[in-house]
Amino acid sequence: MEIKEIKIIGGVDKCGNPENVKELIVKKGEIFGVVGPTGSGKSNLISDIEQLSQGDTVSGRKIMINNEIPSSDMRRDPRKRRIAQLSQNMNFLADMTVEEFLIMHAKSRGINSEGLVDKVIDLANNLTGEPIKKDYNLTILSGGQSRSLMVADVAVISDSPIVLIDEIENAGIKKHEALELLAGYGKIVMVITHDPVLALMTNRRVVMKNGAMTEIIETSDEEKEVSKRLNDLDGWMLSMREKVRHGEKLSIGDIQNTCKTC
Amino acid sequence: MKVVIVAGTPGAGKTSVMTHTIKQLQKKGKKTSVIKIDCLYTDDDVRYGKLGVPTLIGLSKDMCPDHFAIYNIEEMVEWAKEQNTDTLIIETAGLCHRCAPYTKNSLGVCVIDATSGPNTPRKVGPFLTSADVVAITKGDIISQAEREVFRERVLEMNPNCTIYDVNGLSGQGCAEIAEEITEAKDITDLENELLRHNAPLSVCTLCVGETRIAKKYHRGVLRRIDGFTKYVGE
């Protein structure tokens, strides 16, 4: 089944009042943002979509796929699930090696794991400075390594038409590359982010407050311009970070000479 | 009378899952009663009591809670009938991971905690492998990938079960479990009802209170660490 759109039918906020946004449709090929302060219900929105809720979660939202109620098979069985989620929960509890885990995950998704392990690990190692090896135990991976591995896993093993991303910026990985890798071609991507660069990379974003979707903002031309400049700033910030990481000292000259936007 | 037997690892959220499930059953107009079997202490009767359903607790003391549940099943069903209920939920502490308290015509529900890691399904034995329904809890605090790997391990151990991702806090997924209960068979002939899986191997002298540890004091089916098993006694 080709997924052309998802529709989120609004439920209630934390106090039980109806959400301001009654209906939100995200179409194939769109990258959509979710913004709002901590505790405003961003992760719950993403998790409603991941579980294809039918009014059975705290929010009471309903999720429709191609304007239809998804089958219970699609809701339950990972082999039929068309959604990949990258949550903030990145602490691995599984006592197994990276290789065993990836093979097992491929099996749970019903795909042949031949050659996949190396592919996932290579991609992951492009996103983080600390290389992952396949015989590493999952539980020893750092935050950045775990997240890179999960990004690569979503891109290769749980490659799905709907991708949900929760605060990708937090683990010190290359977020642009990660987003590009995840978005692929023709997917529906929803990104929770506090990062203005990522937020403005989307065409539209929903604002969350007190557990509810309150407003949808379209990214204006002016914002696109702001996005470009922020991107430069971000690149500059990243270069400073790399210097510090590699044990170099920073000087006033680094700011004056490098940052064109400042 | 429908009999639902709920087993699972300690702390997995059996009571939380069942509380939400009972609320769903109440919505469907079902008359439910609950019996909680534990070893030394439980205050789960208070939690169940809040739902307004008839509740009984049974403490097995120094006996295996699953054995205790099995010995008492006729009385429990009798009690549930006296309460004018149509569905009896028996929640058992099930500690040794070798017992399988489910009977042929009861609905066997296993509650298992996803944060316990994907090796757990291999370690817990019959209460998982012979269950009809497996409710996986706490999946919201691990990654999607790890959740899927956990689910796969459960299926490796019990390919015929129906798995539900359940949230013991919000009650999400419990409507589906309530639906399974509604569709479950009735137990009509308790006298000829059978266990799905035998209880752990035999009885040894430790089971009946021997505290001396030397080999010479022990009788019954004795298995050595090298795998050698013998019977000592008459």
Side-chain angles (χ1 to χ4, degrees):
Chain A
M1 181 184 68
E2 193 198 347
I3 296 182
K4 296 192 184 97
E5 60 165 54
I6 50 175
K7 187 199 284 177
I8 303 154
I9 302 173
V12 291
D13 70 6
K14 284 183 182 170
C15 308
N17 305 312
E19 286 185 275
N20 206 17
V21 176
K22 305 273 179 259
E23 199 179 278
L24 168 58
I25 297 173
V26 186
K27 294 209 184 278
K28 197 178 161 199
E30 184 174 7
I31 301 182
F32 195 93
V34 182
V35 297
T38 311
S40 60
K42 301 185 296 297
S43 298
N44 274 340
L45 175 66
I46 290 291
S47 121
D48 280 345
I49 300 171
E50 200 252 337
Q51 290 150 4
L52 298 168
S53 306
Q54 295 305 319
D56 52 355
T57 58
V58 191
S59 68
R61 291 187 189 107
K62 289 182 183 153
I63 311 296
M64 313 282 274
I65 301 281
N66 296 344
N67 219 7
E68 278 172 28
I69 297 172
S71 69
S72 61
D73 261 7
M74 184 175 171
R75 295 188 67 190
R76 285 212 310 266
D77 185 354
R79 287 184 181 82
K80 298 190 175 117
R81 203 197 302 262
R82 313 302 303 280
I83 301 173
Q85 184 195 23
L86 206 60
S87 61
Q88 289 188 70
N89 302 315
M90 276 298 139
N91 304 313
F92 283 112
L93 303 160
D95 186 14
M96 43 174 88
T97 64
V98 171
E99 183 175 23
E100 283 171 315
F101 183 79
L102 293 174
I103 290 172
M104 198 70 192
H105 191 209
K107 193 181 164 213
S108 80
R109 284 260 172 174
I111 54 176
N112 184 352
S113 60
E114 214 181 298
L116 278 188
V117 175
D118 290 327
K119 199 174 165 188
V120 174
I121 292 175
D122 286 348
L123 276 176
N125 287 339
N126 279 334
L127 298 172
T128 176
E130 332 146 78
I132 303 164
K133 296 203 170 106
K134 62 178 165 194
D135 60 345
Y136 279 4
N137 203 297
L138 275 178
T139 47
I140 66 154
L141 299 185
S142 71
Q145 285 174 319
S146 303
R147 188 149 274 225
S148 307
L149 186 67
M150 283 297 89
V151 170
D153 177 286
V154 167
V156 179
I157 294 174
S158 21
D159 182 20
S160 312
I162 302 171
V163 179
L164 310 169
I165 304 163
D166 198 344
E167 289 189 40
I168 202 171
E169 65 264 26
N170 281 350
I173 62 169
K174 298 175 190 162
K175 58 195 173 193
H176 278 100
E177 283 87 338
L179 191 61
E180 262 167 42
L181 192 61
L182 291 170
Y185 173 74
K187 291 186 180 183
I188 292 170
V189 184
M190 290 193 78
V191 197
I192 293 184
T193 184
H194 294 298
D195 182 333
V197 181
L198 287 181
L200 299 182
M201 269 171 80
T202 65
N203 294 325
R204 291 187 297 159
R205 58 188 190 271
V206 65
V207 184
M208 302 296 298
K209 211 174 177 180
N210 195 32
M213 304 183 283
T214 55
E215 192 190 351
I216 294 170
I217 299 178
E218 297 226 4
T219 311
S220 64
D221 289 341
E222 190 178 350
E223 278 189 324
K224 295 262 181 206
E225 186 53 38
V226 173
S227 169
K228 267 186 207 154
R229 299 221 197 154
L230 278 176
N231 212 355
D232 290 343
L233 256 175
D234 200 57
W236 167 73
M237 191 69 193
L238 207 67
S239 69
M240 294 287 110
R241 187 158 69 196
E242 284 308 302
K243 281 193 171 181
V244 173
R245 253 188 181 172
H246 291 101
E248 291 175 39
K249 288 179 183 166
L250 300 181
S251 65
I252 292 290
D254 284 317
I255 293 185
Q256 284 163 345
N257 302 335
T258 333
C259 179
K260 296 180 202 84
T261 324
C262 304
Chain B
M1 170 81 53
K2 290 186 203 301
V3 177
V4 183
I5 300 179
V6 186
T9 45
K14 294 186 286 297
T15 308
S16 298
V17 168
M18 290 328 289
T19 327
H20 287 288
T21 305
I22 291 167
K23 285 184 196 160
Q24 295 288 339
L25 287 168
Q26 287 174 327
K27 275 191 202 164
K28 291 169 183 277
K30 301 286 167 197
K31 289 182 187 158
T32 313
S33 51
V34 188
I35 299 174
K36 167 75 187 223
I37 305 294
D38 221 316
C39 303
L40 300 176
Y41 166 84
T42 180
D43 55 7
D44 287 342
D45 51 329
V46 181
R47 292 178 67 189
Y48 283 126
K50 283 183 187 152
L51 300 168
V53 295
T55 306
L56 195 67
I57 52 169
L59 291 182
S60 66
K61 307 275 170 72
D62 49 0
M63 186 184 260
C64 160
D66 287 345
H67 289 202
F68 180 82
I70 294 157
Y71 295 139
N72 285 289
I73 202 157
E74 282 170 303
E75 281 83 355
M76 295 196 286
V77 171
E78 211 43 57
W79 171 83
K81 278 182 188 157
E82 283 165 21
Q83 309 302 313
N84 241 332
T85 55
D86 47 42
T87 309
L88 170 62
I89 293 173
I90 302 171
E91 185 197 322
T92 158
L95 300 172
C96 77
H97 298 170
R98 290 304 311 154
C99 286
Y102 316 129
T103 69
K104 286 255 154 65
N105 295 297
S106 63
L107 181 76
V109 179
C110 165
V111 180
I112 188 166
D113 170 355
T115 65
S116 62
N119 288 329
T120 301
R122 288 179 167 177
K123 297 176 180 174
V124 296
F127 76 66
L128 170 68
T129 56
S130 64
D132 303 300
V133 171
V134 176
I136 302 179
T137 55
K138 305 185 197 178
D140 57 326
I141 41 182
I142 56 174
S143 66
Q144 185 192 37
E146 204 165 350
R147 213 156 51 230
E148 289 173 359
V149 166
F150 191 88
R151 181 195 168 92
E152 192 59 28
R153 270 281 155 78
V154 168
L155 282 176
E156 278 181 1
M157 302 313 297
N158 183 349
N160 300 318
C161 67
T162 312
I163 299 180
Y164 295 100
D165 280 314
V166 176
N167 186 322
L169 301 177
S170 68
Q172 194 189 328
C174 291
E176 280 93 340
I177 295 185
E179 189 59 34
E180 293 274 355
I181 293 175
T182 323
E183 286 167 11
K185 285 182 275 199
D186 281 297
I187 293 192
T188 45
D189 179 10
L190 208 51
E191 205 168 312
N192 292 308
E193 183 71 3
L194 296 173
L195 277 176
R196 268 183 219 180
H197 195 280
N198 62 298
L201 192 67
S202 195
V203 170
C204 73
T205 19
L206 290 169
C207 298
V208 292
E210 176 62 76
T211 54
R212 289 172 295 187
I213 60 168
K215 210 183 294 163
K216 64 176 178 180
Y217 297 115
H218 297 290
R219 302 287 180 275
V221 176
L222 308 175
R223 177 173 292 164
R224 294 220 193 104
I225 202 160
D226 62 6
F228 182 75
T229 304
K230 67 172 177 178
Y231 178 78
V232 181
E234 288 172 28

Coordinates of all heavy atoms in Angstrom, one line a residue, chain A residues 8-11 18-24 213:
Chain A
I8 N -4.1 13.7 11.2 CA -4.2 13.6 12.6 C -5.5 14.4 13.0 O -5.7 15.5 12.7 CB -3.0 14.3 13.3 CG1 -1.7 13.7 12.8 CG2 -3.1 14.3 14.8 CD1 -0.5 14.6 12.9
I9 N -6.4 13.6 13.6 CA -7.7 14.3 14.0 C -7.5 14.7 15.5 O -7.2 13.8 16.3 CB -8.9 13.3 13.8 CG1 -9.0 12.9 12.3 CG2 -10.2 14.0 14.3 CD1 -10.0 11.9 12.0
G10 N -7.6 15.9 15.7 CA -7.4 16.5 17.1 C -8.2 15.9 18.2 O -9.3 15.4 18.0
G11 N -7.6 15.8 19.4 CA -8.2 15.3 20.6 C -8.4 16.4 21.6 O -8.9 17.5 21.3
P18 N -10.9 20.7 24.0 CA -10.6 20.3 22.6 C -9.3 21.0 22.1 O -9.1 22.2 22.4 CB -11.8 20.7 21.8 CG -12.9 20.9 22.8 CD -12.2 21.2 24.1
E19 N -8.6 20.4 21.2 CA -7.4 21.0 20.6 C -7.8 22.0 19.6 O -8.9 21.9 19.0 CB -6.6 19.9 19.9 CG -5.8 19.1 20.8 CD -4.9 18.1 20.0 OE1 -5.4 17.1 19.6 OE2 -3.7 18.5 19.8
N20 N -7.0 23.1 19.5 CA -7.3 24.2 18.6 C -7.3 23.7 17.1 O -8.1 24.0 16.3 CB -6.3 25.3 18.8 CG -6.9 26.6 18.4 OD1 -8.1 26.8 18.2 ND2 -6.0 27.6 18.2
V21 N -6.2 22.9 16.9 CA -6.1 22.3 15.5 C -6.9 21.1 15.4 O -6.7 20.1 16.1 CB -4.6 22.0 15.2 CG1 -4.5 21.3 13.8 CG2 -3.8 23.3 15.3
K22 N -8.0 21.1 14.6 CA -8.9 20.0 14.6 C -8.4 18.9 13.7 O -8.8 17.7 13.8 CB -10.3 20.4 14.1 CG -10.9 21.6 14.9 CD -11.7 21.0 16.1 CE -12.2 22.2 16.9 NZ -11.4 22.5 18.1
E23 N -7.6 19.3 12.7 CA -7.2 18.3 11.7 C -5.9 18.7 11.1 O -5.7 19.9 10.8 CB -8.3 18.3 10.6 CG -8.2 17.0 9.8 CD -9.4 17.0 8.7 OE1 -10.5 16.6 9.1 OE2 -9.1 17.4 7.6
L24 N -5.0 17.8 10.9 CA -3.7 18.1 10.4 C -3.3 17.0 9.4 O -3.3 15.9 9.7 CB -2.6 18.2 11.5 CG -1.2 18.2 11.1 CD1 -0.9 19.4 10.2 CD2 -0.3 18.3 12.3
M213 N -2.2 20.7 20.0 CA -1.8 21.4 18.8 C -2.6 22.7 18.8 O -3.8 22.7 18.7 CB -2.1 20.6 17.6 CG -1.5 19.2 17.6 SD -1.9 18.3 16.0 CE -3.6 17.9 16.2

